[in-house]
Amino acid sequence: MQERLNSVLEEAKAQLLKATSMADTEEIRVKVLGKKGQLTEILRSMGKLAPEEKKALGMAANKVKAEFEELLKEKVTEIKAAAKEAKFKAEKIDVTEPAKEVTYGVKHPVTQVIDEVVGIFRSMGYSVYEGPDIDTVYNTFDALNSPETHPARDLTDTFYVSKDVCLRPHTSSCEVRAEKELSLPYKVLMPGACYRCDTPDATHSHTFHQIEMMVIGEDITMADLKGSLDHMAKKLFGPETRTKFRPHHFPFTEPSAEMDVSCFKCGGKGCPVCKGSGWIEILGCGMTHPHVHRAGGIDTEKYTGFAVGMGVERIAMLKYGIDDIRLLTENDMRFINQFK
């Protein structure tokens, strides 16, 4: 019987040496220790032996079983380690391969112009004041010296939510709100979206952006207005830029003007961009009308001020050579990515 035990152990050792997978080791375990395994059958046959023989055989069988289980445990550990190593090799990352290209976003040209203008005026002590896109008809027209019968209402016709509420056609609607909310004196920028009943074409859109500038204080004059805008133009278009103010009419400013800058493409010599004139119109401005100050509760005997309204898309189109305003709202990344 001892020889049989030794034979089972030697045979199991040989089979474990050849095993290459967990399935192989399980098959060997069942063959030796399973219900019908070789060692199990030997232990069952002990019932026919004498007590002394049974005791000796039991000790020998347990020794063989313990040795086999130890060998089996070592083999299982070895196979698991080999499988883990093979998995690591299969999943190894080659760090010398080119990485995936990282795509970075880019600010929209309209946002870039707003940021640039805001930065210029912040350096001059201005702060940013924002008003709602949906405002009262009073703030949008009446308080800006444009009563119901005023022709300016046709020029800036917008979309109405109700009889007394509309989408603002200009950021000038923020002026009366600022007058009522801010402490005097103040210098503010009011950027934001505007809406008008325009038919879209290369130069018009029903949705666009403006930046309003408003200054109120004691002894504010047209000289302050011209100096501030001349500084902005030189920062925005280059130090050689010249400015020109032409008389104009806006219902909420008096006197009013439109500001031209010398063409930054040809330096004022004349080219297709400036239509041969050497000048480009970029904004409207003027001294704030006393009626607007009174609507905001400002003492017109003590305070004066000026207001400026500039179209952001117009500046972006001029600055970057964009020939169709619709390109700014088509969300074509091939177009947007040019402005990195």
Side-chain angles (χ1 to χ4, degrees), residues 66-208:
E67 188 173 347
F68 170 73
E69 288 178 339
E70 185 63 28
L71 291 171
L72 181 66
K73 181 179 177 181
E74 291 175 0
K75 190 63 179 181
V76 168
T77 301
E78 179 186 324
I79 290 174
K80 284 183 177 179
K84 187 175 182 180
E85 184 67 22
K87 184 178 181 181
F88 284 161
K89 288 182 179 180
E91 296 178 354
K92 184 178 179 181
I93 299 174
D94 185 354
V95 296
T96 64
E97 289 185 355
K100 291 183 179 179
E101 183 180 357
V102 178
T103 302
Y104 294 96
V106 56
K107 283 186 177 181
H108 194 280
V110 168
T111 303
Q112 291 188 39
V113 170
I114 291 175
D115 289 348
E116 188 172 1
V117 173
V118 169
I120 292 170
F121 279 93
R122 278 193 185 278
S123 70
M124 298 164 62
Y126 283 67
S127 58
V128 174
Y129 175 88
E130 294 184 338
D133 288 18
I134 302 175
D135 209 335
T136 63
V137 172
Y138 177 79
N139 286 342
T140 304
F141 294 111
D142 297 273
L144 296 177
N145 206 31
S146 299
E148 190 172 0
T149 56
H150 199 289
R153 290 211 183 191
D154 293 331
L155 296 173
T156 56
D157 196 20
T158 184
F159 305 93
Y160 286 79
V161 178
S162 66
K163 180 181 178 182
D164 300 317
V165 178
C166 64
L167 301 185
R168 65 182 181 189
H170 41 220
T171 47
S172 304
S173 61
C174 297
E175 290 185 14
V176 178
R177 287 179 173 272
E179 288 178 330
K180 292 178 178 180
E181 295 177 11
L182 301 179
S183 299
L184 296 172
Y186 63 74
K187 299 188 291 185
V188 293
L189 292 175
M190 297 172 274
C194 303
Y195 312 87
R196 292 183 187 176
C197 297
D198 280 337
T199 301
D201 59 26
T203 57
H204 296 84
S205 175
H206 50 72
T207 303
F208 56 98

